[in-house]
Amino acid sequence: MADPAKVAQGVAVQYAGSAAQDHNSFDPSGKYKLRFQGAFVTVECAISQNDSIKSQGGCMVSMSNNVLIDTSLEGGLGASCLRCCCAGGSMFLSHYMLASGTVPRGDVMLAPSCPGDIIMLSMDGSTNWCLSPGNFLACDESVNITTRMLDAAQGCCGGSGFFVMEANGRGRLLASTYGAVARYDLQPGEVRKIDNGYLVAWQSSMKWSIGRATTSLWQSFLSGEGLVACFEGPGTVFVQTRSLKTLADALVPYLPSGGGGASSSNNNN
């Protein structure tokens, strides 16, 4: 904890916790390249005969003519239904591969459904990643996409339901965010509270629970924060800087009601 006397005297004090960091999504192999970085970023994916990719359904912007798309129920029918109905993913994943007998390289451009950022995680097989519903974008074919069931408190109060996506294996994983992305590398025993609507991805080995935003339940709800996710290090967690639910709530006063004037005026025209 910072010494108040030193702060008052203008003395620089090193913060002991893990501050937010930018995440480096540069791919040294050149397979994945982020294009048009900013609110409307896309990712260009190189496809070769021995190196294909798979993605969430419906995110392809363009692709070269020598690339083929195949669809599959990743993990079988039961796992695909859980991913689609409970974890915010598509039932069928799209697999992009190079057509035989063509030039040795093709490319696919992918874009998320919401404006924001794209992060790339390099997986070495020792660490699994959990993804909040709607944040999975694409990955190497060598990465397995499954679902993971949360406990009762996490499922009831976490804001994401009882299931999230989990990625395991070796390769590269792409996740999309609404808004910019911040990375927190928590030290052992360090706890960070995160609003549920801003949670993107975290290492599956991390301990986390649902707790109050402040010491008082009453103050937590008066502040508008309510219940939050409490992550304990060691481990890495990613958050986004905007929330779709917050945006939707902000737009409600400007939307016509069920029997409002907008419908009446349309009927009169």
Side-chain angles (χ1 to χ4, degrees):
M1 183 175 179
D3 186 341
K6 291 184 177 180
V7 173
Q9 296 171 7
V11 178
V13 178
Q14 181 66 39
Y15 171 59
S18 298
Q21 304 178 53
D22 292 331
H23 179 69
N24 182 11
S25 291
F26 173 73
D27 182 8
S29 73
K31 179 178 180 179
Y32 298 101
K33 294 181 180 179
L34 298 186
R35 302 293 193 186
F36 319 112
Q37 294 192 45
F40 303 103
V41 65
T42 64
V43 58
E44 185 179 75
C45 316
I47 309 295
S48 65
Q49 288 289 356
N50 299 315
D51 196 9
S52 56
I53 67 168
K54 56 189 174 185
S55 77
Q56 178 86 336
C59 64
M60 191 274 289
V61 177
S62 69
M63 64 182 187
S64 55
N65 192 46
N66 59 338
V67 173
L68 303 177
I69 301 179
D70 188 19
T71 57
S72 70
L73 293 169
E74 186 85 3
L77 179 61
S80 298
C81 288
L82 278 177
R83 182 174 62 249
C84 175
C85 300
C86 304
S90 57
M91 188 166 184
F92 291 87
L93 295 187
S94 298
H95 299 254
Y96 301 88
M97 61 199 72
L98 206 62
S100 59
T102 62
V103 294
R105 183 192 180 282
D107 65 83
V108 177
M109 181 174 286
L110 305 176
S113 57
C114 296
D117 209 343
I118 296 174
I119 58 173
M120 187 189 76
L121 302 173
S122 297
M123 303 178 60
D124 60 5
S126 63
T127 301
N128 298 351
W129 286 90
C130 290
L131 299 168
S132 290
N135 291 117
F136 169 69
L137 181 62
C139 63
D140 290 338
E141 284 285 359
S142 55
V143 174
N144 302 312
I145 301 298
T146 62
T147 53
R148 178 173 181 172
M149 186 174 183
L150 305 178
D151 65 30
Q154 293 169 342
C156 290
C157 306
S160 300
F162 281 92
F163 294 90
V164 295
M165 287 191 185
E166 184 174 21
N168 62 78
R170 299 176 65 90
R172 286 149 293 193
L173 171 68
L174 298 173
S176 62
T177 68
Y178 176 45
V181 63
R183 169 177 175 154
Y184 290 98
D185 295 317
L186 302 184
Q187 301 302 311
E190 181 182 359
V191 176
R192 176 157 291 270
K193 298 179 179 180
I194 299 173
D195 187 292
N196 303 311
Y198 295 83
L199 185 59
V200 174
W202 63 97
Q203 291 177 329
S204 59
S205 58
M206 295 183 71
K207 297 178 181 179
W208 70 283
S209 59
I210 299 298
R212 298 188 296 262
T214 68
T215 56
S216 164
L217 184 61
W218 179 246
Q219 290 296 332
S220 294
F221 282 98
L222 285 180
S223 67
E225 301 304 331
L227 299 176
V228 295
C230 303
F231 281 83
E232 181 180 346
T236 298
V237 59
F238 289 90
V239 300
Q240 58 193 17
T241 60
R242 295 293 184 273
S243 165
L244 280 174
K245 182 181 183 304
T246 302
L247 174 64
D249 291 343
L251 291 176
V252 168
Y254 304 97
L255 299 178
S257 60
S263 299
S264 300
S265 61
N266 288 336
N267 293 333
N268 293 331
N269 290 336

